[in-house]
Amino acid sequence: MSSSTGPQADTTCHPREHLTVTPSPEAFRMARADGNERLRSSGSLFESFFSLDGAAYGAGALPVSVKELLGLVVSVMKDCEECVYYHLERCDEERVAREQVLEALQIALVGGGSVTIPLLRRAISFMEELPTLGKGRA
Amino acid sequence: MSSSTGPQADTTCHPREHLTVTPSPEAFRMARADGNERLRSSGSLFESFFSLDGAAYGAGALPVSVKELLGLVVSVMKDCEECVYYHLERCDEERVAREQVLEALQIALVGGGSVTIPLLRRAISFMEELPTLGKGRA
Amino acid sequence: MSSSTGPQADTTCHPREHLTVTPSPEAFRMARADGNERLRSSGSLFESFFSLDGAAYGAGALPVSVKELLGLVVSVMKDCEECVYYHLERCDEERVAREQVLEALQIALVGGGSVTIPLLRRAISFMEELPTLGKGRA
Amino acid sequence: MSSSTGPQADTTCHPREHLTVTPSPEAFRMARADGNERLRSSGSLFESFFSLDGAAYGAGALPVSVKELLGLVVSVMKDCEECVYYHLERCDEERVAREQVLEALQIALVGGGSVTIPLLRRAISFMEELPTLGKGRA
Amino acid sequence: MSSSTGPQADTTCHPREHLTVTPSPEAFRMARADGNERLRSSGSLFESFFSLDGAAYGAGALPVSVKELLGLVVSVMKDCEECVYYHLERCDEERVAREQVLEALQIALVGGGSVTIPLLRRAISFMEELPTLGKGRA
Amino acid sequence: MSSSTGPQADTTCHPREHLTVTPSPEAFRMARADGNERLRSSGSLFESFFSLDGAAYGAGALPVSVKELLGLVVSVMKDCEECVYYHLERCDEERVAREQVLEALQIALVGGGSVTIPLLRRAISFMEELPTLGKGRA
């Protein structure tokens, strides 16, 4: 989706709209990388945790794509908005099919109930701007 | 700041203020409807879940107004900001008295502890703009 | 329900069965009172918290029966097994109808998702032994 | 593991041991089915929810085995002990490899932190008694 | 508010950036005080809860500085962004050392897992603007 | 308290009592060590996580005793019963004063609300059997 055509492209600006828009993948990626860098440089235990996290998501008995879907539902269950965006981006990079992502989100919805709906709304909105996952939308 | 224009009416804009303002009921309603529409159109299971959710809140042995209060405390306990706004709107539509909403929020506060306070602050702020619930404020 | 006829009355005894049975209302009540007494005597802040909790559930703009239903859904959303038993007992004392309790639990189920089901199973089982709420079962 | 040689087979019996043992798969299965039956018969909305839950786990764009792993991590993230046992049984039935289950649990551990460890201990213990997943242990 | 006057004075403005910035300590403090005032005036039980909360954090067998660190990890575990900012400010006022705050956050990270990382990123970012805790940064 | 006089010493045995008793420190310690050993031997990532967890609790800018109190409140906030017992044991070993533990629990209560009370009842009960922390009780 071109960033100049969607509701996100509205040039009017008001902080009250923070609930109704999702970050652009680019802005999110940069801010996340910047914040992680600051965490890593704040103590070796942070750095070690990031390494462990990376190891858990590496290829093994399960393919990376399945692990990213697992990370996605972990993120929804813990209501972690930025984690959801991150794993959606990773799913996009790993060429997980849109229908597979949606089925994982459905399991999260049934498992975690209607309180997950606001985060699912954002997940759908964020997906629409991703290169591969965004293509499937109507 | 004059309470007649409201902090929400401030036309100045900065994303850093996102913690200190609440969405307007109108903007929230539109964004919620739009996001729900996208979810519904993303798979029949989403649609079915919405139906089930709607059924749970219909009149039965409990009146709708009590069910909306139940939904309100569910939302606070799960720290679901948008769910809180939605159920406050529904309470407003069902003419639940301001004092009743406040007592429900007090049960949520005592049940969920001080970590619920930021969301309760927003709930109070959002209530102030609702047609009926907003009238009771000083 | 007579305690000599249900699955709970099984005289075989193994701690592995702890997931499959619910406490008797009497045993629960005594253990809860004993534990609360120890908490209260452990510091005045505990005592003050209990007072505040009691105040939140007293009659006000909302009747006590509605407040107990609110406490029930708070408890399910936080997966607090003993809290659920307590509020079920209180609902029983306040003569809340079985159908009303079930509708509140349905709202908790739809709100919190399938992960609430194990606790709902126990809630139903515990209800069966309560003087009033237990009568409605088939 | 023979059920007559492990710590679970201890014939001494004390409720204080409830933290240190896991239910047998058979006992768990029966108690779960019994409880679910009571829920289903308590109102049509419960029944509808079970149907929706079943639909989410059916084969689709994702294979059933992957969906069961998703359900497993959902369960760990929500600290739902019985849900974990259920999805482990389903993984066993679907012939998910032990190493795949362990990698899913590792993602849950890294995602949810050390507070998940007690439930992971039980998951490992429960797995040891399952027909297929139990075979891989040393 | 002129967008050119605060430390927040970044002139680019878009609500989509709400995930990537933290509020200024001053703006946060004012909004929090304003919201708390509205809660307090909404019912005596809210006021009583604030008193109890204040009492829990007063000096006793534990020094205030340790209590603020306890409040900080409570806040991270409950994903309460504003609570984190508040306790960071209190740690700053109590002259808790930056390294001590970081070690408390590491315990929260290991205890609560990778889903705490987005909030920890914000915590680090917020700390950088605090008078004492902000000095230690590179 | 002599283990032969309390409600825990009841030689009658029924799984329904599992809510009303706490494990003995010895039984808990053995079961925990056994379960952790099985986790560690189930994959190197589990082992690495345990190492990281151990590192977070080592002496640093904060003394070990404060870190154990932090771990205690982390555990209460996440409703992790076994984690609470573990950190109480560690507090006992580190000679944390009973009053200090109680103040940490009060912060957890106020922060997490009344849904923490059942776990706090067990914490008090478990403390009573610990060599040092158990001495202070009336």
Side-chain angles (χ1 to χ4, degrees):
Chain A
M1 178 162 106
S2 159
S3 66
S4 63
T5 59
Q8 285 84 355
D10 193 341
T11 55
T12 63
C13 172
H14 202 285
R16 295 179 71 181
E17 295 166 15
H18 78 279
L19 283 181
T20 66
V21 290
T22 49
S24 70
E26 301 75 26
F28 170 65
R29 205 176 298 129
M30 285 179 59
R32 181 178 174 275
D34 180 55
N36 281 355
E37 181 51 38
R38 273 185 282 185
L39 259 188
R40 282 178 210 270
S41 65
S42 296
S44 62
L45 197 139
F46 292 114
E47 180 66 40
S48 299
F49 193 93
F50 277 101
S51 298
L52 202 58
D53 189 69
Y57 284 94
L62 289 173
V64 170
S65 58
V66 169
K67 289 190 169 185
E68 289 302 328
L69 288 170
L70 292 169
L72 180 63
V73 300
V74 161
S75 305
V76 176
M77 299 317 280
K78 290 295 193 178
D79 197 29
C80 183
E81 181 180 355
E82 295 178 54
C83 309
V84 165
Y85 298 152
Y86 171 71
H87 288 291
L88 286 173
E89 285 206 320
R90 290 288 300 117
C91 285
D92 193 68
E93 291 168 359
E94 298 293 328
R95 307 287 163 175
V96 179
R98 182 178 173 86
E99 279 308 310
Q100 293 181 315
V101 170
L102 290 172
E103 287 186 9
L105 295 179
Q106 287 166 355
I107 282 176
L109 171 60
V110 173
S114 62
V115 295
T116 65
I117 289 176
L119 184 47
L120 296 180
R121 285 196 292 255
R122 289 159 196 261
I124 299 288
S125 175
F126 189 82
M127 276 173 70
E128 287 181 3
E129 299 196 44
L130 293 174
T132 303
L133 288 172
K135 282 184 188 158
R137 70 196 174 79
Chain B
M1 187 175 334
S2 161
S3 65
S4 64
T5 56
Q8 286 82 356
D10 192 340
T11 55
T12 63
C13 169
H14 202 285
R16 295 182 73 178
E17 295 167 14
H18 78 277
L19 283 180
T20 66
V21 289
T22 48
S24 72
E26 300 74 26
F28 169 66
R29 206 176 296 129
M30 286 178 59
R32 180 179 174 277
D34 180 56
N36 281 356
E37 181 51 36
R38 274 185 282 184
L39 260 187
R40 282 177 210 269
S41 65
S42 296
S44 63
L45 197 140
F46 292 115
E47 181 65 38
S48 299
F49 193 93
F50 277 101
S51 297
L52 201 59
D53 189 70
Y57 285 95
L62 289 173
V64 170
S65 59
V66 168
K67 289 189 169 186
E68 290 301 328
L69 289 171
L70 292 170
L72 181 63
V73 301
V74 161
S75 305
V76 176
M77 299 319 279
K78 290 296 192 178
D79 198 28
C80 184
E81 181 179 355
E82 295 177 56
C83 310
V84 165
Y85 298 152
Y86 172 71
H87 288 292
L88 286 174
E89 284 206 321
R90 290 289 298 117
C91 285
D92 194 67
E93 290 168 0
E94 297 293 328
R95 306 288 163 175
V96 179
R98 182 180 173 86
E99 279 307 310
Q100 292 180 316
V101 170
L102 290 172
E103 287 185 9
L105 295 179
Q106 288 167 353
I107 282 175
L109 171 60
V110 173
S114 62
V115 296
T116 65
I117 289 175
L119 184 47
L120 296 180
R121 285 196 292 257
R122 289 159 196 261
I124 298 287
S125 175
F126 189 83
M127 277 173 68
E128 288 181 3
E129 299 196 47
L130 293 173
T132 303
L133 288 172
K135 281 185 187 157
R137 69 193 173 84
Chain C
M1 178 162 105
S2 159
S3 65
S4 63
T5 58
Q8 287 83 355
D10 192 342
T11 55
T12 63
C13 172
H14 202 283
R16 296 179 71 179
E17 296 166 14
H18 78 277
L19 283 181
T20 66
V21 290
T22 49
S24 71
E26 302 75 24
F28 169 66
R29 206 175 297 129
M30 285 178 61
R32 181 178 174 276
D34 181 56
N36 280 355
E37 180 52 37
R38 274 185 282 185
L39 260 188
R40 282 177 209 270
S41 64
S42 296
S44 63
L45 197 140
F46 292 114
E47 180 66 39
S48 299
F49 193 93
F50 277 100
S51 298
L52 202 59
D53 189 71
Y57 285 95
L62 289 171
V64 170
S65 58
V66 168
K67 290 189 168 186
E68 290 301 329
L69 288 171
L70 292 170
L72 181 63
V73 301
V74 161
S75 304
V76 176
M77 299 318 281
K78 289 296 192 179
D79 197 28
C80 184
E81 181 179 355
E82 296 178 54
C83 309
V84 165
Y85 298 152
Y86 171 71
H87 287 292
L88 285 173
E89 285 207 320
R90 290 289 298 118
C91 285
D92 194 69
E93 291 168 358
E94 297 294 328
R95 306 288 164 176
V96 179
R98 181 179 173 85
E99 279 308 310
Q100 294 180 315
V101 169
L102 290 172
E103 288 185 8
L105 295 179
Q106 288 166 354
I107 282 176
L109 171 59
V110 173
S114 62
V115 296
T116 65
I117 289 177
L119 184 48
L120 296 181
R121 286 197 291 257
R122 288 158 197 263
I124 298 288
S125 175
F126 189 83
M127 275 173 69
E128 287 181 3
E129 300 195 45
L130 292 174
T132 303
L133 288 172
K135 280 183 187 161
R137 70 194 174 80
Chain D
M1 177 164 97
S2 158
S3 67
S4 62
T5 59
Q8 285 84 355
D10 192 340
T11 55
T12 63
C13 172
H14 201 285
R16 296 179 71 178
E17 295 167 13
H18 79 277
L19 283 181
T20 66
V21 290
T22 48
S24 70
E26 300 76 24
F28 170 65
R29 206 175 297 129
M30 287 177 59
R32 181 178 173 278
D34 180 57
N36 281 355
E37 180 52 37
R38 273 185 282 184
L39 259 187
R40 282 178 210 270
S41 64
S42 296
S44 63
L45 196 139
F46 292 115
E47 180 66 38
S48 299
F49 193 92
F50 276 101
S51 298
L52 201 59
D53 188 71
Y57 284 95
L62 289 173
V64 171
S65 58
V66 168
K67 289 190 168 185
E68 289 301 330
L69 288 172
L70 291 170
L72 180 63
V73 301
V74 161
S75 305
V76 176
M77 299 318 280
K78 289 297 193 179
D79 198 29
C80 183
E81 181 179 355
E82 295 177 55
C83 309
V84 165
Y85 298 154
Y86 171 71
H87 288 292
L88 286 173
E89 284 207 320
R90 290 289 299 117
C91 285
D92 194 68
E93 290 168 0
E94 298 293 328
R95 306 288 164 176
V96 180
R98 182 179 173 84
E99 279 307 311
Q100 293 181 316
V101 170
L102 290 172
E103 288 185 8
L105 295 179
Q106 287 165 355
I107 282 175
L109 171 60
V110 172
S114 62
V115 295
T116 65
I117 289 176
L119 184 48
L120 295 181
R121 286 197 291 257
R122 288 158 197 262
I124 298 288
S125 175
F126 189 82
M127 275 173 70
E128 288 181 3
E129 300 196 45
L130 293 174
T132 303
L133 287 172
K135 280 184 187 158
R137 67 192 177 80
Chain E
M1 174 167 91
S2 160
S3 65
S4 63
T5 56
Q8 297 84 354
D10 189 340
T11 54
T12 64
C13 171
H14 202 286
R16 296 179 71 181
E17 295 167 13
H18 77 279
L19 283 181
T20 66
V21 290
T22 49
S24 72
E26 300 74 26
F28 169 65
R29 205 176 296 130
M30 286 178 59
R32 180 179 175 276
D34 181 55
N36 281 355
E37 181 52 36
R38 275 186 280 184
L39 260 187
R40 283 178 210 270
S41 64
S42 296
S44 64
L45 197 138
F46 291 115
E47 180 66 40
S48 298
F49 193 93
F50 277 101
S51 297
L52 202 58
D53 189 71
Y57 285 95
L62 288 172
V64 169
S65 58
V66 168
K67 290 189 168 185
E68 289 301 329
L69 288 170
L70 291 169
L72 180 63
V73 300
V74 161
S75 306
V76 176
M77 298 319 280
K78 290 296 192 178
D79 198 28
C80 183
E81 180 179 356
E82 295 178 55
C83 308
V84 164
Y85 298 153
Y86 171 71
H87 288 292
L88 285 174
E89 284 207 319
R90 290 289 297 117
C91 284
D92 194 68
E93 291 168 359
E94 297 294 328
R95 307 287 163 176
V96 179
R98 183 178 172 85
E99 279 308 310
Q100 293 181 316
V101 170
L102 290 172
E103 288 186 8
L105 294 179
Q106 288 167 354
I107 282 176
L109 171 60
V110 173
S114 62
V115 296
T116 65
I117 289 177
L119 185 47
L120 296 181
R121 285 197 290 257
R122 289 159 196 261
I124 299 287
S125 175
F126 189 83
M127 276 174 70
E128 288 181 2
E129 298 196 45
L130 293 173
T132 303
L133 287 172
K135 282 185 186 159
R137 67 195 172 83
Chain F
M1 176 164 99
S2 160
S3 66
S4 63
T5 58
Q8 285 83 355
D10 192 341
T11 55
T12 63
C13 172
H14 201 285
R16 296 179 70 179
E17 295 166 15
H18 78 277
L19 281 181
T20 66
V21 289
T22 48
S24 71
E26 300 75 25
F28 169 66
R29 206 176 296 130
M30 286 179 59
R32 181 178 174 278
D34 181 56
N36 281 355
E37 181 50 37
R38 274 185 281 185
L39 259 188
R40 283 179 210 269
S41 64
S42 297
S44 62
L45 197 139
F46 292 115
E47 180 66 39
S48 299
F49 193 93
F50 276 102
S51 297
L52 202 59
D53 188 71
Y57 285 94
L62 289 173
V64 170
S65 58
V66 168
K67 289 189 168 185
E68 289 301 331
L69 288 171
L70 292 170
L72 181 62
V73 300
V74 161
S75 305
V76 176
M77 298 319 280
K78 290 295 193 178
D79 199 29
C80 183
E81 180 179 355
E82 295 177 54
C83 308
V84 164
Y85 297 154
Y86 171 71
H87 287 293
L88 285 174
E89 283 207 321
R90 291 289 298 118
C91 285
D92 194 70
E93 290 167 2
E94 297 294 328
R95 307 288 163 177
V96 179
R98 181 180 174 85
E99 279 308 311
Q100 292 180 316
V101 170
L102 290 171
E103 287 185 8
L105 295 178
Q106 288 166 354
I107 282 175
L109 171 60
V110 173
S114 62
V115 296
T116 65
I117 289 176
L119 184 47
L120 296 181
R121 286 197 290 257
R122 287 159 197 260
I124 298 287
S125 176
F126 189 83
M127 276 173 70
E128 287 180 4
E129 300 195 45
L130 292 174
T132 303
L133 288 172
K135 281 183 186 159
R137 69 195 174 78

